[in-house]
């Protein structure tokens, strides 16, 4: 019997495993980098062990340090979570060699399937050799790990070498393994996967399908179970291939076999020898706890002959601290509040007041809705996201709501090209037109309560300015004998945290929260602006500013001040939240300033370079 589990991971998945362990009466141990010293998973565990440093390569990817932490803390088992070392056969062996129970598949199975090239060979699929024009487009893909890291779509043969270099660098940083391979890129297919669970007694459960087609940068955004619209023949083929993959490597534990479905056929992609981020939708549909079952399998228990019967439909959305309208740029800062309506499952590695840093994935939480039908589950999740309190940095919340309500998704006609086609429309700013007024009235009410606002003599209107979705909004209101007033609406109530307005006979209530200059009015995020602009913020045309905090990892080869650059030419690369972000020249001209060198850490808005355009 397992008594103490160390989770060799961080954030949401560590918290999720701890929850099941605690319910089972199992003690828990966390490991943490210096950046995660006060993270939620560190605080939730019964014990925590420091891994010195902040970079993943120095901390969560150091299997030797993690095993040493487990023995020091008295753990007798290790759960790898997902990402990091979860598909590292050497780490699994190190755990068992130390006399600890490995809560995962046998190292031999990991070795066979963790490398996508070896997995394809087992399934009789050969990767591309020398790439020609006839092969385009192709996909460059990391052999180890997942989550879209180390992955590049190449449409021009001239770009292949550069993309191979970038993919290798990103894969080495994320997984400690820079091996990549090239395969044909199937346009606009559906990403469908099969959840399996196997014990050490020969039983393999097939726990249905999931559709994960809504992706950005090859990372999943919305997932659901079961995958809608698959006919019986295709579903049977998916199940048979998944079981064949599991039995080929004597699999044990939870795993996922992934496919690209196109033209009515299932194309094998890979087998993930670990728990998936999207496992909660399968848990909801089958009424099971996959982590609890992982623990039972690791203890040697046999599964029942048949899995439970599925019920209803479940949909999951990943809430990211990122700006989809700005190249999916990750966001950092204080998460002031995160709360969702009742009836929605929330898996997160954050709580109110936590800081979102630059070192790790920007996922804040996963929200899961379960209902008797797909339409009901989708509607429930969209409504919950719309009503959720997400106070802090910019997130993809609005994008998720619009995606779930998009006709292509509601009719189950989506594919992996969904955001390529619809991102512009889905990120079109649509702030609530009354939100700035509600913010101003809430602020005025708070100030009036402290200092008094009404004057006996007539005075001009009060003016406040806010930035909303990149646009400036100016609002005007008055202090009157009977309270606050504004043109065109009736102010029914105005308190520091709640404003009720009536316009055209319709009464609406707004919940308002303010954190310094950052204001949240329901789902609208505003920034209070000063009365007069700051003249020191003026920048020269052609200035390239860091779009997010991060580290300069590369500068274009041979690039120096005075060089001539072309519009769109890559100048340097920033790494933030485990992803590389390319900074390109805004215009054709001369590089007059370069303030970046590899290893330099920059804050958002830092001046990286200046390009003087040919026209001046």
């Amino acid at each position: 019997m397992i008594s103490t589990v160390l989770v060799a991971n961080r954030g949401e998945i560590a918290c999720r495993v701890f929850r099941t362990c605690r319910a089972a009466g199992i003690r828990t141990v966390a490991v943490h980098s210096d950046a995660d010293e006060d993270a939620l998973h560190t605080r939730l565990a019964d014990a925590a062990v420091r891994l010195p440093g902040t970079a993943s390569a120095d901390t969560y990817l150091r299997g030797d340090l993690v095993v040493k932490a487990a023995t020091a803390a008295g753990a007798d088992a290790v759960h790898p979570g997902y990402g990091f070392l979860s598909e590292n056969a050497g780490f699994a062996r190190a755990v068992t060699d130390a006399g600890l129970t490995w809560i995962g598949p046998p190292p031999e199975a990991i070795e066979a399937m963790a490398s996508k090239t070896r997995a394809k060979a087992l399934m009789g699929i050969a990767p591309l050799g020398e790439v020609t024009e006839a092969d385009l487009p192709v996909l460059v893909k990391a052999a180890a790990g997942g989550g879209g890291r180390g992955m590049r779509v190449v449409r021009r043969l001239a770009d292949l070498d550069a993309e191979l270099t970038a993919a290798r660098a990103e894969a080495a940083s994320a997984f400690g393994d820079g091996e990549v391979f090239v395969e044909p890129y199937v346009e606009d297919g559906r990403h469908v996967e099969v959840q399996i669970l196997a014990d050490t007694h020969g039983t393999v459960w097939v726990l249905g399908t999931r559709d994960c087609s809504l992706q950005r940068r090859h990372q999943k955004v919305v997932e659901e179970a079961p995958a809608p619209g698959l006919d019986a023949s295709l579903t049977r083929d998916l199940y048979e291939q998944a079981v064949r993959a599991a039995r080929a490597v004597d699999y044990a534990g939870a795993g996922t076999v992934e496919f690209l479905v196109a033209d009515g056929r299932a194309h094998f992609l890979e087998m993930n020898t670990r728990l998936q981020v999207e496992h909660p939708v399968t848990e909801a549909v089958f009424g099971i706890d996959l982590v609890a079952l992982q623990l039972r399998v690791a203890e040697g228990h046999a599964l029942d002959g048949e899995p439970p019967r599925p019920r209803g439909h479940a949909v999951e959305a990943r809430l990211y601290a990122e700006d989809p309208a700005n190249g999916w740029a990750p966001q950092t800062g204080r998460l002031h509040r995160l709360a969702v309506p009742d009836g929605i499952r929330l898996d997160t590695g954050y709580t109110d007041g936590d800081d979102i840093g630059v070192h790790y994935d920007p996922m804040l939480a996963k929200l899961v809705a379960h209902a008797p039908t797909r339409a009901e589950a989708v509607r429930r999740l969209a409504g919950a996201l719309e009503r959720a309190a997400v106070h802090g940095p910019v997130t993809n919340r609005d994008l998720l709501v619009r995606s779930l309500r998009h006709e292509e998704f509601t009719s189950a006609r989506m594919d992996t090209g969904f955001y390529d086609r619809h991102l512009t429309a889905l990120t079109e700013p649509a702030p609530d037109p009354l939100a700035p007024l509600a913010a101003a009235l809430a602020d005025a009410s708070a100030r009036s309560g402290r200092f008094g606002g009404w004057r006996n003599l007539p005075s001009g209107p009060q003016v406040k300015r806010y930035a909303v979705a990149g646009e400036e909004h100016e609002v005007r209101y008055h202090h009157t004998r009977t309270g606050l007033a504004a043109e065109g609406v009736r102010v029914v109530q105005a308190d520091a945290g709640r404003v009720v307005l009536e316009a055209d006979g319709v009464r609406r209530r707004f919940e308002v929260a303010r954190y310094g200059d950052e204001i949240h009015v329901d789902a609208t995020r505003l920034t209070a602006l000063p009365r007069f602009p700051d003249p020191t913020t003026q920048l020269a045309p052609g200035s390239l500013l860091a779009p997010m905090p991060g580290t300069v990892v590369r500068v274009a080869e041979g690039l120096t001040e005075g060089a001539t650059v072309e519009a769109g030419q890559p100048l340097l690369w920033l790494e933030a939240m485990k992803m590389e972000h390319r900074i390109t020249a805004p215009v054709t001209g001369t590089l007059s300033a370069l303030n970046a060198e590899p290893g330099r850490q920059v804050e958002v808005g830092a001046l990286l370079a200046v390009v003087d355009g040919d026209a001046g």
Side-chain angles (χ1 to χ4, degrees), residues 1-5 20-21 23-27 74-78 99-103 292 294-302:
M1 296 289 288
I2 293 170
S3 64
T4 304
V5 169
T20 290
C21 288
I26 297 172
R27 293 187 297 274
D76 56 1
V78 173
L100 307 171
T101 298
W102 169 248
I103 305 171
Q294 283 184 298
L295 293 169
R296 286 186 56 78
V297 168
E299 289 178 332
H301 297 286

Side-chain angles (χ1 to χ4, degrees), residues 32-229:
H32 67 86
S33 67
D34 290 340
D36 278 340
E37 183 178 10
D38 196 40
L40 181 60
H41 79 277
T42 307
R43 305 196 304 265
L44 284 180
D46 296 313
V49 180
R50 176 187 176 228
L51 304 176
T54 56
S56 298
D58 300 327
T59 55
Y60 298 110
L61 287 171
R62 285 285 302 274
D64 56 333
L65 297 183
V66 174
V67 171
K68 187 180 296 184
T71 56
D76 56 1
V78 173
H79 192 298
Y82 52 70
F84 293 130
L85 295 167
S86 62
E87 294 178 283
N88 187 306
F91 177 60
R93 288 194 180 95
V95 169
T96 57
D97 288 348
L100 307 171
T101 298
W102 169 248
I103 305 171
E108 295 76 19
I110 297 175
E111 205 157 45
M113 286 295 185
S115 168
K116 297 175 180 63
T117 51
R118 289 192 292 273
K120 287 180 179 292
L122 273 174
M123 300 296 284
I125 304 167
L128 285 175
E130 184 176 347
V131 179
T132 68
E133 288 282 354
D135 298 317
L136 299 174
V138 296
L139 185 66
V140 178
K141 203 170 184 180
R149 299 177 185 90
M151 197 178 293
R152 299 286 193 282
V153 177
V154 180
R155 301 183 184 278
R156 299 192 316 149
L157 203 57
D159 297 335
L160 181 60
D161 287 345
E163 296 296 10
L164 283 167
T165 299
R168 289 188 186 105
E170 192 170 76
S173 173
F175 314 120
D177 184 344
E179 181 189 351
V180 300
F181 66 97
V182 180
E183 66 181 7
Y185 180 60
V186 180
E187 301 269 17
D188 303 334
R190 285 178 60 186
H191 189 120
V192 176
E193 58 192 32
V194 178
Q195 174 72 59
I196 62 162
L197 184 72
D199 62 21
T200 55
H201 305 274
T203 298
V204 178
W205 279 2
V206 175
L207 294 167
T209 58
R210 294 188 290 253
D211 190 294
C212 311
S213 296
L214 264 61
Q215 302 178 5
R216 54 85 164 129
R217 291 185 168 180
H218 309 291
Q219 286 186 309
K220 301 161 189 173
V221 177
V222 176
E223 305 104 341
E224 59 181 305

Side-chain angles (χ1 to χ4, degrees), residues 525-548:
R525 185 181 188 275
L526 310 90
T527 302
L529 299 176
R531 291 184 62 191
F532 305 104
D534 183 353
T536 65
T537 61
Q538 301 301 311
L539 289 167
S543 296
L544 286 171
L545 307 183
M548 76 274 307

Side-chain angles (χ1 to χ4, degrees), residues 366-579:
K366 304 179 307 195
L367 283 74
V368 184
H370 180 237
T373 67
R374 180 179 189 268
E376 291 172 292
V378 170
R379 182 178 65 186
R380 182 175 294 178
L381 183 57
L385 277 161
E386 191 172 48
R387 296 190 303 275
V390 187
H391 299 168
V394 172
T395 71
N396 67 334
R397 185 253 297 274
D398 290 347
L399 174 80
L400 293 173
V401 173
R402 294 181 184 184
S403 300
L404 291 167
R405 290 174 174 165
H406 193 281
E407 189 272 338
E408 199 170 291
F409 182 80
T410 57
S411 61
R413 293 186 294 107
M414 65 284 177
D415 56 50
T416 55
F418 180 83
Y419 286 123
D420 293 334
R421 295 190 299 274
H422 303 303
L423 184 62
T424 300
L426 291 171
T427 55
E428 189 70 29
D432 191 317
L434 290 177
L437 177 60
L441 294 175
D443 185 54
S445 177
R447 294 174 184 274
S448 296
R450 293 195 297 269
F451 309 115
W454 180 73
R455 299 176 183 176
N456 196 36
L457 297 173
S459 63
Q462 300 294 307
V463 179
K464 288 192 177 294
R465 298 164 53 246
Y466 298 95
V468 186
E471 295 184 356
E472 184 177 319
H473 293 256
E474 183 177 279
V475 294
R476 298 168 181 265
Y477 62 91
H478 296 267
H479 289 280
T480 71
R481 193 183 298 270
T482 57
L484 293 165
E487 291 186 11
V489 299
R490 186 167 78 88
V491 181
V492 180
Q493 177 187 345
D495 297 325
R498 175 177 295 180
V499 174
V500 181
L501 303 175
E502 186 176 297
D504 298 324
V506 178
R507 183 175 294 189
R508 294 182 56 198
R509 184 183 67 191
F510 300 88
E511 301 296 329
V512 183
R514 179 161 188 159
Y515 312 93
D517 289 336
E518 179 187 315
I519 305 106
H520 293 265
V521 179
D522 292 338
T524 301
R525 185 181 188 275
L526 310 90
T527 302
L529 299 176
R531 291 184 62 191
F532 305 104
D534 183 353
T536 65
T537 61
Q538 301 301 311
L539 289 167
S543 296
L544 286 171
L545 307 183
M548 76 274 307
T551 303
V552 177
V553 290
R554 283 188 293 143
V555 175
E557 187 175 353
L559 189 68
T560 58
E561 291 183 2
T564 299
V565 296
E566 299 288 331
Q569 175 184 335
L571 303 181
L572 56 99
W573 287 259
L574 281 181
E575 184 181 80
M577 296 183 174
K578 298 167 71 175
M579 297 288 285

Side-chain angles (χ1 to χ4, degrees), residues 210-295:
R210 294 188 290 253
D211 190 294
C212 311
S213 296
L214 264 61
Q215 302 178 5
R216 54 85 164 129
R217 291 185 168 180
H218 309 291
Q219 286 186 309
K220 301 161 189 173
V221 177
V222 176
E223 305 104 341
E224 59 181 305
L230 303 181
D231 62 40
S233 174
L234 180 55
T235 300
R236 187 165 53 251
D237 181 38
L238 289 165
Y239 285 4
E240 288 173 356
Q241 288 198 56
V243 172
R244 180 156 57 93
R247 294 202 183 281
V249 293
D250 294 326
Y251 199 80
T256 298
V257 186
E258 301 199 351
F259 302 88
L260 198 62
V261 173
D263 301 322
R265 295 175 53 232
H267 304 265
F268 174 81
L269 288 176
E270 60 189 347
M271 181 177 184
N272 290 312
T273 54
R274 55 173 168 81
L275 204 62
Q276 293 278 87
V277 178
E278 58 273 17
H279 75 272
V281 291
T282 297
E283 292 183 322
V285 168
F286 282 86
I288 57 175
D289 182 331
L290 280 169
V291 173
L293 288 167
Q294 283 184 298
L295 293 169

